[in-house]
């Protein structure tokens, strides 16, 4: 047995023992702290029902239907001239990017996984796509964080601008990821001829290949979406209980000290260390703890921006549960989240410091009442806003893609 094989076997044994003892510990701790486990499970359940379920299920269903009807293939051909040079991903990636920007995580993971299963992108392209489309939705940053937690509406523009710019920067960085594994899925219908004609051909071809009636497609979309949302709910509840258990057991103390040391080195208040520990696991609770910490607003804004970009191990668990069967690796995803967090923090520091006039220009009143998040009207407005954002984003990107295609076509005609 070679050294590499022995090392791999040794790591496999360690991982098996670690997972086994971790689950035993959590089980025993739940017996010792039943009230804390129950309360945290209810917190996770409320978060899933009030925030995740209502806002994501409609988009899960619609994305399934759009893919079955071939609309996503249509968009993919139109956006290939834009997405390929910038991010080195197929044009359909713009659909995942737009849905992720409007609806928030883990919408991007759901769509990327479907792309991979339907052979609309390669494994490495899926990893690149997942690296920069994992974003928070604007309503969360403007409404929940800026207004609901910090009480500073103007902060929303700064956080959102830093979040999305750093996300695109991650996309540009990860366009070079996996060059040695790059094998584009080529299709003769998507490489020659008029781009609009090719788009409609791709739509028709996908619909013919799918070969399901609309009623079958609708039923399958609802069934698949409900399975996904229930899976996400299970992970939210699990991580809520896990975070509470390790907290009451005192296992987060060493993380608290480690983050306090890092914050002191950076010149930040060590009072933010507990918020970083919470945000490491769960975003919403971490953002709330950051807003309540005794620290300057600038430092709190930088930390919450980094936490939103990181998104929390709870979201990472949801993403892992979604992509586990598609062959997409989690390593590049974790690396991208760390880079995203660092860049978002730096951008926030710049926007609130040397170039704070940028955020002021982009600030606008936020018509968002956090006191009515459980009402039907609230969620209808949320879905409406997200839908408008998807349409606007896709419209802008499609226009840019067509312009790029026309310029290229004109350039080749002149050369001939």
């Amino acid at each position: 047995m070679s050294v590499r094989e022995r090392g791999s076997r040794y790591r496999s044994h360690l991982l098996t023992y670690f997972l086994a003892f971790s689950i035993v510990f959590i089980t025993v701790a739940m017996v010792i702290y039943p009230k804390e486990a129950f309360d945290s499970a209810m917190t996770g359940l409320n978060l899933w029902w009030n925030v995740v379920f209502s806002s994501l299920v409609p988009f899960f269903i619609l994305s399934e239907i759009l893919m079955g009807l071939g609309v996503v293939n249509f968009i993919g051909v139109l956006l290939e001239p834009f997405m390929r040079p910038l991010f080195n991903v197929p044009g359909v990636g713009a659909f995942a990017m737009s849905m992720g920007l409007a609806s928030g995580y883990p919408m991007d993971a759901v769509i990327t996984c479907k792309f991979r299963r339907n052979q609309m992108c390669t494994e490495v392209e899926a990893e690149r796509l997942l690296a920069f489309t994992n974003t928070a939705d604007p309503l969360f940053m403007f409404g929940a964080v800026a207004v609901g937690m910090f009480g500073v509406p103007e902060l929303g523009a700064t956080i959102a601008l830093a979040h999305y710019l750093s996300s695109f920067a991650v996309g540009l960085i990860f366009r070079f990821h996996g060059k040695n594994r790059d094998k584009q899925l080529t299709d003769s219908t998507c490489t020659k001829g008029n781009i609009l004609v090719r788009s409609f051909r791709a739509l028709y071809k996908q619909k013919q290949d799918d070969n399901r009636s609309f009623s079958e497609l609708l039923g399958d979309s609802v069934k698949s979406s409900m399975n996904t949302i229930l899976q996400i709910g299970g992970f939210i509840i699990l991580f809520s209980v896990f975070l509470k258990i390790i907290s009451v057991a005192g296992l987060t103390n060493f993380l608290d000290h480690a983050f306090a040391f890092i914050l002191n080195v950076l010149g930040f208040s060590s009072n933010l260390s507990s918020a970083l520990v919470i945000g490491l696991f769960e975003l919403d609770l971490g953002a709330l703890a950051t807003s309540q910490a005794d620290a300057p607003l600038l430092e709190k804004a930088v930390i919450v921006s980094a936490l939103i970009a990181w998104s929390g191990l709870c979201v990472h668990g949801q993403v892992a549960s979604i992509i586990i069967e598609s062959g997409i690796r989690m390593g590049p995803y974790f690396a991208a989240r760390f880079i995203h967090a660092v860049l978002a923090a730096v951008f926030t520091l710049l926007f609130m410091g040397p170039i704070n006039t940028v955020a002021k220009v982009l600030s606008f009143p936020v018509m968002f009442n956090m006191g009515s998040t459980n009402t039907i009207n609230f969620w209808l407005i949320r879905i409406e806003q997200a839908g408008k954002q998807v349409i606007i984003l896709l419209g802008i990107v499609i226009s840019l893609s067509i312009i790029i295609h026309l310029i290229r076509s004109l350039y080749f005609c002149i050369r001939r």
Side-chain angles (χ1 to χ4, degrees):
M1 184 182 293
S2 66
V3 176
R4 180 177 294 181
E5 289 175 342
R6 284 199 300 269
S8 177
R9 188 175 179 180
Y10 179 70
R11 287 193 298 270
S12 177
H13 277 78
L14 283 180
L15 180 60
T16 302
Y17 298 146
F18 173 76
L19 290 175
F21 284 115
S22 297
I23 297 301
V24 170
F25 168 78
I26 294 173
T27 304
V28 173
M30 287 177 64
V31 175
I32 298 174
Y33 305 105
K35 184 179 184 304
E36 288 81 357
F38 177 79
D39 291 342
S40 58
M42 289 302 298
T43 301
L45 179 62
N46 288 329
L47 176 65
W48 172 72
W49 177 253
N50 293 325
V51 177
V52 178
F53 186 91
S54 303
S55 58
L56 289 185
V57 166
F59 291 102
F60 284 174
I61 297 173
L62 285 175
S63 64
E64 288 267 7
I65 294 174
L66 289 173
M67 289 180 67
L69 293 176
V71 176
V72 175
N73 298 71
F74 174 87
I75 294 172
V77 176
L78 281 179
L79 294 177
E80 185 79 14
F82 178 82
M83 297 298 290
R84 182 63 67 185
L86 277 181
F87 305 115
N88 200 14
V89 295
V92 292
F95 181 75
M97 181 179 71
S98 300
M99 294 294 283
L101 288 173
S103 304
Y105 21 64
M107 188 70 198
D108 60 297
V110 174
I111 296 175
T112 302
C113 184
K114 295 183 189 303
F115 288 167
R116 182 69 192 114
R117 285 205 302 260
N118 294 336
Q119 296 297 307
M120 298 170 73
C121 65
T122 64
E123 180 183 327
V124 68
E125 288 172 343
E127 291 173 359
R128 291 177 192 145
L129 192 57
L130 198 59
F132 74 96
T133 57
N134 189 83
T135 54
D137 66 280
L139 285 179
F140 173 73
M141 289 181 283
F142 280 96
V145 176
V147 176
M149 297 179 188
F150 281 84
V152 185
E154 297 80 9
L155 190 61
T158 302
I159 294 174
L161 184 61
H163 186 73
Y164 293 132
L165 283 179
S166 55
S167 173
F168 294 143
V170 170
L172 293 175
I173 294 170
F174 268 76
R175 76 178 309 279
F176 303 104
H177 164 69
K179 280 284 189 179
N180 57 330
R181 297 187 292 137
D182 231 344
K183 293 180 181 179
Q184 293 183 18
L185 299 175
T186 55
D187 188 342
S188 59
T189 62
C190 299
T191 55
K192 297 180 181 179
N194 184 278
I195 191 169
L196 289 175
V197 174
R198 287 188 281 120
S199 300
F200 281 105
R201 284 176 180 168
L203 185 152
Y204 181 77
K205 183 178 183 300
Q206 171 58 30
K207 184 63 183 75
Q208 293 300 109
D209 292 342
D210 189 272
N211 199 29
R212 285 181 292 177
S213 66
F214 184 76
S215 59
E216 290 176 323
L217 176 60
L218 180 60
D220 291 342
S221 300
V222 172
K223 186 188 304 180
S224 175
S225 299
M226 291 304 298
N227 287 337
T228 302
I229 202 67
L230 287 172
Q231 192 175 41
I232 291 171
F235 266 84
I236 291 175
I237 295 170
L238 176 65
F239 270 86
S240 181
V241 173
F242 174 70
L243 177 58
K244 187 66 176 179
I245 290 297
I246 64 173
S247 178
V248 297
L251 296 182
T252 57
N253 290 338
F254 78 97
L255 284 175
D256 202 329
H257 293 312
F259 281 128
F261 174 76
I262 295 172
L263 289 169
N264 285 328
V265 171
L266 296 174
F268 278 39
S269 172
S270 59
N271 293 331
L272 292 164
S273 60
S274 59
L276 278 172
V277 173
I278 297 172
L280 175 69
F281 294 96
E282 213 288 316
L283 169 60
D284 299 86
L285 298 177
L288 181 61
T290 303
S291 68
Q292 296 173 345
D294 183 15
L297 178 61
L298 171 62
E299 296 180 9
K300 293 196 290 186
V302 170
I303 294 301
V304 81
S305 187
L307 290 180
I308 293 172
W310 169 250
S311 69
L313 290 176
C314 180
V315 171
H316 300 340
Q318 298 170 37
V319 171
S321 70
I322 293 166
I323 68 173
I324 192 169
E325 297 178 357
S326 63
I328 304 173
R329 300 181 304 166
M330 285 295 291
Y333 170 83
F334 278 117
R337 297 286 60 75
F338 178 76
I339 296 172
H340 191 187
V342 172
L343 291 177
V346 171
F347 278 125
T348 303
L349 191 62
L350 290 174
F351 293 150
M352 294 191 69
I355 51 176
N356 60 348
T357 52
V358 175
K360 290 180 179 178
V361 170
L362 293 175
S363 295
F364 54 87
V366 182
M367 305 302 295
F368 193 86
N369 181 12
M370 291 304 296
S372 58
T373 55
N374 292 328
T375 63
I376 295 177
N377 185 55
F378 169 85
W379 291 115
L380 288 176
I381 293 173
R382 183 182 176 92
I383 293 171
E384 178 189 0
Q385 291 296 325
K388 287 181 180 178
Q389 289 159 9
V390 171
I391 293 172
I392 292 171
L393 287 168
L394 283 177
I396 293 172
V397 177
I398 287 174
S399 300
L400 290 173
S401 183
I402 291 176
I403 291 171
I404 292 171
H405 174 72
L406 291 175
I407 292 174
R408 282 182 174 178
S409 300
L410 182 62
Y411 173 74
F412 285 123
C413 288
I414 293 174
R415 286 192 63 181
R416 290 177 183 176

